[in-house]
Amino acid sequence: MTDEPLLRVRSISKFYGNRIGCNDISFDLWPGEVLAVVGESGSGKTTLLNCLSTRLLPTSGTVSYRMRDGAFHDLYRMSEAERRFLMRTDWGFVHQNPSDGLRMTVSAGANVGERLMAVGQRHYGDIRATATDWLGRVEISSDRIDDQPRAFSGGMRQRLQIARNLVTGPRLVFMDEPTGGLDVSVQARLLDLLRGLVHELGLSAIVVTHDLAVARLLSHRMIVMKDGHVVESGLTDRVLDDPQAPYTQLLVSSILQV
Amino acid sequence: MYVAVKGGEAAIQNAHRLLADRRRGDRNLPAITLEQIASQLSLAVDRVMSEGSLYDTGLAALAVKQARGDMIEAIFLLRAYRTTLPRFGYTRPVDTAAMLVERRVSATYKDLPGGQLLGPTFDYTHRLLDPELAEDAEPAAPEARSEAEEAMPRVSDILANEGLIEEDGSLPEDREPGDITREPPEFPMERDQRLQALSRGDEGFLLALGYSTQRGYGRNHPFAGEIRIGEVDVEIDVPELDFPLTLGRIRVTECQMVNQFKGSQKVPPQFTRGYGLVFGQSERKAMAMSLCDRALRANELDEDITAPAQDEEFVISHCDNVQATGFVEHLKLPHYVDFQAELGLVRQMRREYEERREGAAADTERREAAE
Amino acid sequence: MNAHTDNIAQYNFAYLDEQTKRMIRRAILKAIAIPGYQVPFASREMPMPYGWGTGGVQVTASVIGTDDVLKVIDQGADDTTNAVSIRAFFQKVANVEVTTHTADATIIQTRHRIPEEPLNAGQVLVYQVPIPEPLRFLEPRETETRKMHALEEYGLMHVKLYEDIAQHGHIATTFAYPVKVEGRYVMDPSPTPKFDNPKMHMSKALQLFGAGREKRIYAVPPYTRVESLDFEDHPFEVQTFDEPCALCGGTDVYLDEVVLDDRGGRMFVCSDTDNCEARRAEGHRGHLSGEEAAT
């Protein structure tokens, strides 16, 4: 770890008309750190994620990102070209619904290979070899490489989406309810896999989830949101074992013990 | 042996002669005159003027005749002529409040200044085929309106007095109105350009899209605030004069839909408008246009875009029937060079497929033999 | 009314008014300055349907002068109906000299082919383009594709080629095969067979592309690099034919398949009719060129 954060978030607010999406959110994200954003639906966690990943422009606030050369850049002042380049090289975005993040009508291999081709790789054999390797790392059998995700189960699709995002070696990955639509047993396997990959690659990640178990398993630190505001933040184990805010206490006590 | 297909030129000439003959029809009958078309098929002429975007009943009647009654072909003829005309300038916006109204109905008020005026409408006719019409019966002369005419303010102006409806869109002083026939379209479009595209868009296409909004695909709660048909002055500013010159009068149909709107961050709750204006008498088109106009304002009014009618690129790129018919019909042009390329590919892929299958069969045989 | 009808036949040289021609020429100049970039232009309604060459006709009408010699081909042939119709149009509205000989033409308007005979400096090849956007079938939105061009985001193009290879073992695009122009813009060469793609590369002639319905003009100036997209280990290849032209015996030319009967009988003949006739005039013969064919 270096002594500088990867992402600096300062006073991000997003209003929809008079309604608050999220209000005055600030934090730092450190290299190799996984931050969970938890809350019920409508708490503003997805709005926050979309602002941070520049998919949505906040009403006010700044987010600066430390580029590979060490310089911080204000995300909202970057040109669209720079932002889009960042999105497909140094960042990943894992959608809750894999079909939002995959091309459902092209093969698994091409889904993984697309980012490589986008950054200029022009050797079919190499692209295919890399795709095969990544399918293996997310536990998809290499003989499925030419199948379309339409023919995949929900869990496989989600793993494919993860491979597609990680193939360019990003430093920061955003995840929106990555285990959202999956069966419990499938969730466990995916979480296991994610935890392994994040650790192995030293990824930083911001994971939005309503599921405290996901936060417990994946994240180092977490923030709890309600009605667009942060009600509590801290190390994940501390927040879950010793919640301070009444809302967090309610949240923790209302679920089965994890 | 094979001789290349010569004589395309003669074939085309002969085809056109035959077309001219069929257009004339039975030569024992008198040829239909342009005056007859313009006066007795006037709604066809209106549609051709409207979608051909050229106000000239004589030319539109000629186009209908030349197209053998094919509306889109007639529209195409008029457009192709219009495009060669020099552009002298742009008129002032027509003042529909000062219209010489022949028909005016409002669904939002029972009665209103100027009253409801049914005019020459198909509404409330019973759609029974009329045998008398087949025999050229002379209809009774129409009732003429008494001279005393009350002013007919537009429903939108009545609502605006109370501040309950958004204002007429006003352009900044220095903004030249767009002209979709002179500038390439760029998305997202300004509303003036969009309205131009809709006004000459295909009646059937807009009708279907407008209908889809009523059925829930981008619903926007419309009320037919007002439909008025009549004549308006066309005025132009001349640089040397400090008053506008009237070039003449044209008949138009205007529809103002009044739509619910909950308000947004910047705007208080109020009614919004969908606007339709077309040449001649065409209520259906004007109403469909105003539904589409309102649907296409989704972005401006911060509404979710969920339906085809709200999708500007989709609607505007496909509403022009001259473009649509050309591209659909171009499929009958020869494509045999490309088809040859595809033939070659399919043959190659079938060969490869057979080889793979034979290879697999041979493998199986070898395995079976080895076992 | 009569005043109108009397005046209808009054058209400017080459149909378009001079203002419109100037507008189109400006678009053409811009297109030449940015090879492969699609320049929006205010396409006019033409007296032929959209999709039938209105873009090419507008480009030709804007560059043609009284001294020009015009050749019009469709599918490689001068005598297909649409070529005949467009040629007749220019004879009528511009009264220019026309030819079927590639070498004699100063402007060649084409649909779907590039002549076999290499073009020379000073010649202009005008393509009729139905869908100018090479990314259109991967991404239908104009707002998005313009962005992709601006940011050089062409990964998706290769995804398509990757899929071809993964499925078929080779690239399965046979016409409208995408090219990269001068190392920058990915361009649709119009629906020419990929057989013709190499002819665009470093061509001595000016190549202009007009898409009337889609309101775009683009260009490849003379001596410009035009590279067909491919993979290093799956290089671009053109179609080959198993037999020579049945009439002129030509090889390395694009052939049309002509069905002779309903029992599978067929022959392959040159798609470029002018080239075929020139070769036969020089005495070349194919295996089916009897005396009838020579007349």
Side-chain angles (χ1 to χ4, degrees):
Chain A
M1 283 208 193
T2 66
D3 52 1
E4 279 193 299
L6 190 64
L7 196 70
R8 275 190 197 139
V9 180
R10 294 292 177 269
S11 305
I12 289 292
S13 301
K14 172 73 187 175
F15 296 96
Y16 300 99
N18 298 321
R19 202 165 56 71
I20 295 174
C22 61
N23 192 20
D24 197 21
I25 314 268
S26 302
F27 64 87
D28 288 338
L29 183 75
W30 295 83
E33 183 183 38
V34 178
L35 175 78
V37 181
V38 301
E40 302 167 318
S41 66
S43 63
K45 56 188 193 302
T46 298
T47 296
L48 175 62
L49 189 77
N50 285 336
C51 286
L52 299 180
S53 58
T54 71
R55 298 156 60 82
L56 201 63
L57 207 61
T59 313
S60 61
T62 61
V63 178
S64 25
Y65 178 70
R66 185 159 55 79
M67 308 293 275
R68 284 182 188 260
D69 63 6
F72 277 93
H73 285 237
D74 183 344
L75 291 181
Y76 306 123
R77 283 167 183 248
M78 277 185 178
S79 71
E80 187 169 10
E82 290 172 307
R83 266 204 313 262
R84 282 169 79 124
F85 185 73
L86 205 57
M87 289 262 220
R88 61 172 196 255
T89 54
D90 217 22
W91 288 4
F93 196 105
V94 177
H95 297 260
Q96 171 173 5
N97 184 350
S99 64
D100 293 339
L102 292 172
R103 294 193 188 278
M104 296 304 281
T105 54
V106 308
S107 69
N111 263 292
V112 178
E114 179 173 351
R115 277 180 162 224
L116 299 174
M117 294 182 255
V119 296
Q121 282 207 28
R122 291 292 176 265
H123 192 282
Y124 174 82
D126 291 351
I127 292 165
R128 202 168 164 80
T130 310
T132 310
D133 175 49
W134 266 100
L135 290 180
R137 292 170 82 165
V138 297
E139 300 169 17
I140 294 175
S141 157
S142 63
D143 63 6
R144 303 299 301 271
I145 188 167
D146 293 331
D147 292 349
Q148 294 180 2
R150 288 188 303 181
F152 286 6
S153 69
M156 279 173 80
R157 288 180 188 183
Q158 199 55 297
R159 282 179 273 136
L160 180 63
Q161 193 191 182
I162 289 162
R164 173 178 161 88
N165 272 286
L166 298 187
V167 67
T168 48
R171 295 190 299 157
L172 173 60
V173 179
F174 301 95
M175 301 187 206
D176 186 9
E177 303 275 9
T179 58
L182 304 174
D183 295 341
V184 178
S185 60
V186 180
Q187 279 188 22
R189 182 175 171 200
L190 186 74
L191 282 173
D192 225 35
L193 180 82
L194 264 180
R195 191 160 61 163
L197 285 171
V198 165
H199 181 73
E200 181 189 334
L201 302 169
L203 284 177
S204 300
I206 296 176
V207 184
V208 158
T209 180
H210 68 282
D211 186 343
L212 295 182
V214 171
R216 168 84 90 187
L217 272 167
L218 281 185
S219 71
H220 304 108
R221 212 149 51 89
M222 62 187 281
I223 61 182
V224 181
M225 290 184 71
K226 183 176 191 306
D227 300 334
H229 299 267
V230 173
V231 294
E232 182 161 5
S233 64
L235 294 176
T236 299
D237 289 341
R238 200 281 295 155
V239 173
L240 290 179
D241 296 340
D242 181 21
Q244 302 293 307
Y247 176 72
T248 318
Q249 291 167 358
L250 188 74
L251 212 60
V252 170
S253 65
S254 68
I255 56 155
L256 295 171
Q257 284 308 306
V258 290
Chain B
M1 214 27 265
Y2 171 77
V3 179
V5 195
K6 284 280 177 198
E9 208 153 346
I12 290 174
Q13 274 169 11
N14 289 338
H16 293 172
R17 263 179 71 176
L18 183 59
L19 170 69
D21 179 71
R22 291 294 152 85
R23 176 188 297 125
R24 175 60 183 84
D26 184 348
R27 288 179 199 243
N28 293 318
L29 298 172
I32 190 167
T33 67
L34 300 191
E35 289 77 6
Q36 285 171 338
I37 294 172
S39 77
Q40 294 176 45
L41 297 177
S42 59
L43 298 192
V45 169
D46 283 355
R47 178 170 176 201
V48 171
M49 293 197 302
S50 171
E51 291 170 37
S53 56
L54 180 67
Y55 195 94
D56 188 316
T57 48
L59 289 178
L62 174 61
V64 170
K65 179 174 179 176
Q66 190 176 332
R68 305 173 68 191
D70 179 331
M71 288 284 104
I72 293 181
E73 179 68 24
I75 290 161
F76 180 15
L77 284 168
L78 207 59
R79 287 262 195 101
Y81 173 66
R82 174 199 198 273
T83 193
T84 64
L85 299 176
R87 191 66 44 106
F88 297 119
Y90 295 92
T91 68
R92 296 190 141 203
V94 291
D95 181 5
T96 52
M99 178 186 281
L100 263 179
V101 174
E102 192 176 29
R103 167 168 167 80
R104 186 266 202 120
V105 289
S106 167
T108 50
Y109 292 102
K110 182 175 182 188
D111 198 9
L112 65 171
Q116 309 258 13
L117 196 61
L118 280 183
T121 178
F122 291 118
D123 296 351
Y124 318 112
T125 61
H126 297 138
R127 267 63 168 203
L128 304 171
L129 283 171
D130 182 359
E132 283 189 18
L133 203 54
E135 284 167 18
D136 279 344
E138 284 298 324
E143 286 281 334
R145 180 164 29 162
S146 61
E147 281 309 301
E149 260 186 63
E150 206 185 336
M152 276 197 198
R154 304 190 309 168
V155 166
S156 54
D157 297 331
I158 297 170
L159 276 167
N161 285 340
E162 248 192 287
L164 292 180
I165 195 165
E166 62 176 337
E167 293 184 359
D168 265 329
S170 55
L171 294 173
E173 271 300 305
D174 56 342
R175 188 171 181 297
E176 291 272 311
D179 181 346
I180 58 164
T181 67
R182 298 279 131 166
E183 302 143 18
E186 271 189 55
F187 297 108
M189 273 183 163
E190 299 288 331
R191 190 173 174 207
D192 52 351
Q193 295 167 316
R194 216 161 53 204
L195 286 168
Q196 289 170 20
L198 292 176
S199 186
R200 58 194 226 149
D202 183 71
E203 178 174 317
F205 182 73
L206 296 189
L207 178 67
L209 280 174
Y211 177 46
S212 73
T213 66
Q214 291 179 282
R215 292 194 65 258
Y217 292 83
R219 178 160 166 71
N220 50 38
H221 310 276
F223 297 95
E226 181 175 15
I227 296 154
R228 53 169 66 199
I229 303 174
E231 293 188 350
V232 292
D233 283 336
V234 177
E235 296 175 332
I236 192 162
D237 284 321
V238 180
E240 294 80 33
L241 302 176
D242 50 8
F243 56 90
L245 280 184
T246 302
L247 297 176
R249 305 181 68 78
I250 59 173
R251 178 185 298 276
V252 295
T253 304
E254 181 187 58
C255 172
Q256 299 233 37
M257 286 290 174
V258 176
N259 304 71
Q260 266 179 25
F261 180 53
K262 292 192 290 289
S264 74
Q265 205 177 349
K266 286 163 265 170
V267 187
Q270 60 179 344
F271 291 111
T272 57
R273 288 193 254 181
Y275 188 72
L277 182 74
V278 296
F279 285 155
Q281 175 172 352
S282 181
E283 253 165 77
R284 182 189 301 122
K285 169 73 180 286
M287 293 177 78
M289 174 176 169
S290 55
L291 289 173
C292 290
D293 170 50
R294 179 58 183 78
L296 290 172
R297 296 178 64 203
N299 209 17
E300 170 196 346
L301 299 171
D302 246 344
E303 296 166 333
D304 286 337
I305 295 177
T306 54
Q310 298 169 309
D311 184 332
E312 181 184 78
E313 254 198 79
F314 179 80
V315 174
I316 302 297
S317 301
H318 300 117
C319 71
D320 190 303
N321 52 25
V322 178
Q323 290 174 13
T325 198
F327 201 50
V328 167
E329 294 195 53
H330 109 284
L331 289 173
K332 63 194 168 192
L333 289 180
H335 284 78
Y336 51 76
V337 163
D338 292 344
F339 187 69
Q340 184 63 51
E342 292 290 271
L343 261 182
L345 178 67
V346 171
R347 284 191 185 126
Q348 179 192 349
M349 293 198 306
R350 284 183 68 97
R351 232 174 7 248
E352 289 162 359
Y353 172 79
E354 290 300 333
E355 282 163 14
R356 276 199 304 275
R357 239 173 45 145
E358 280 165 20
D363 276 354
T364 321
E365 266 178 43
R366 264 200 303 281
R367 261 201 309 277
E368 281 170 0
E371 274 167 13
Chain C
M1 187 180 303
N2 283 333
H4 281 304
T5 38
D6 289 345
N7 286 332
I8 286 179
Q10 306 298 312
Y11 292 112
N12 191 26
F13 174 78
Y15 182 78
L16 295 175
D17 60 280
E18 292 303 314
Q19 244 179 324
T20 299
K21 286 186 195 170
R22 274 195 290 277
M23 175 273 291
I24 294 175
R25 286 179 200 140
R26 279 195 292 271
I28 292 173
L29 288 175
K30 184 168 178 182
I32 293 171
I34 317 171
Y37 170 74
Q38 299 167 51
V39 182
F41 80 112
S43 175
R44 299 289 191 253
E45 268 97 359
M46 298 299 283
M48 58 272 295
Y50 284 115
W52 296 51
T54 54
V57 168
Q58 287 180 78
V59 168
T60 299
S62 302
V63 299
I64 203 165
T66 48
D67 301 338
D68 274 306
V69 181
L70 179 69
K71 171 181 165 82
V72 183
I73 52 173
D74 188 337
Q75 315 295 302
D78 298 89
D79 50 14
T80 39
T81 41
N82 204 40
V84 168
S85 167
I86 289 172
R87 189 166 56 235
F89 174 73
F90 279 110
Q91 278 177 294
K92 184 171 172 184
V93 298
N95 195 26
V96 291
E97 194 185 331
V98 295
T99 183
T100 58
H101 298 307
T102 300
D104 296 345
T106 55
I107 299 173
I108 302 170
Q109 180 166 331
T110 180
R111 178 168 170 266
H112 293 197
R113 274 310 311 275
I114 299 175
E116 304 290 3
E117 191 176 332
L119 300 178
N120 281 309
Q123 288 186 301
V124 182
L125 184 60
V126 178
Y127 296 77
Q128 302 172 201
V129 182
I131 305 266
E133 180 49 72
L135 302 163
R136 178 64 69 240
F137 300 109
L138 303 167
E139 169 54 60
R141 270 172 208 287
E142 182 70 19
T143 35
E144 185 61 21
T145 53
R146 286 187 78 78
K147 212 172 271 177
M148 290 162 82
H149 282 294
L151 304 179
E152 261 188 286
E153 283 186 11
Y154 292 133
L156 206 49
M157 234 37 269
H158 271 87
V159 168
K160 157 96 180 55
L161 301 180
Y162 173 100
E163 284 295 271
D164 276 1
I165 302 173
Q167 274 177 40
H168 309 297
H170 49 80
I171 293 168
T173 301
T174 59
F175 60 92
Y177 190 104
V179 294
K180 196 166 216 183
V181 181
E182 203 61 20
R184 176 58 178 85
Y185 283 96
V186 168
M187 182 187 96
D188 182 303
S190 86
T192 49
K194 66 179 175 180
F195 181 89
D196 286 339
N197 276 20
K199 295 179 186 147
M200 308 176 79
H201 178 64
M202 298 308 270
S203 170
K204 293 179 195 167
L206 169 63
Q207 302 174 74
L208 300 177
F209 299 78
R213 193 179 39 77
E214 299 277 342
K215 304 181 173 56
R216 296 288 182 272
I217 285 172
Y218 51 103
V220 176
Y223 301 103
T224 300
R225 281 185 290 131
V226 177
E227 285 138 357
S228 303
L229 300 186
D230 62 2
F231 286 102
E232 290 156 13
D233 47 344
H234 285 268
F236 172 77
E237 284 173 355
V238 300
Q239 292 102 334
T240 55
F241 293 87
D242 297 336
E243 47 188 292
C245 170
L247 298 182
C248 76
T251 54
D252 299 326
V253 289
Y254 196 80
L255 300 178
D256 290 333
E257 182 171 335
V258 179
V259 176
L260 297 174
D261 52 46
D262 56 4
R263 299 180 303 278
R266 53 174 174 255
M267 65 190 280
F268 288 86
V269 297
C270 280
S271 141
D272 183 339
T273 48
D274 171 60
N275 191 55
C276 192
E277 279 160 22
R279 283 179 48 81
R280 276 180 282 156
E282 288 164 13
H284 296 283
R285 287 289 178 272
H287 69 283
L288 286 178
S289 57
E291 282 309 302
E292 314 92 294
T295 57

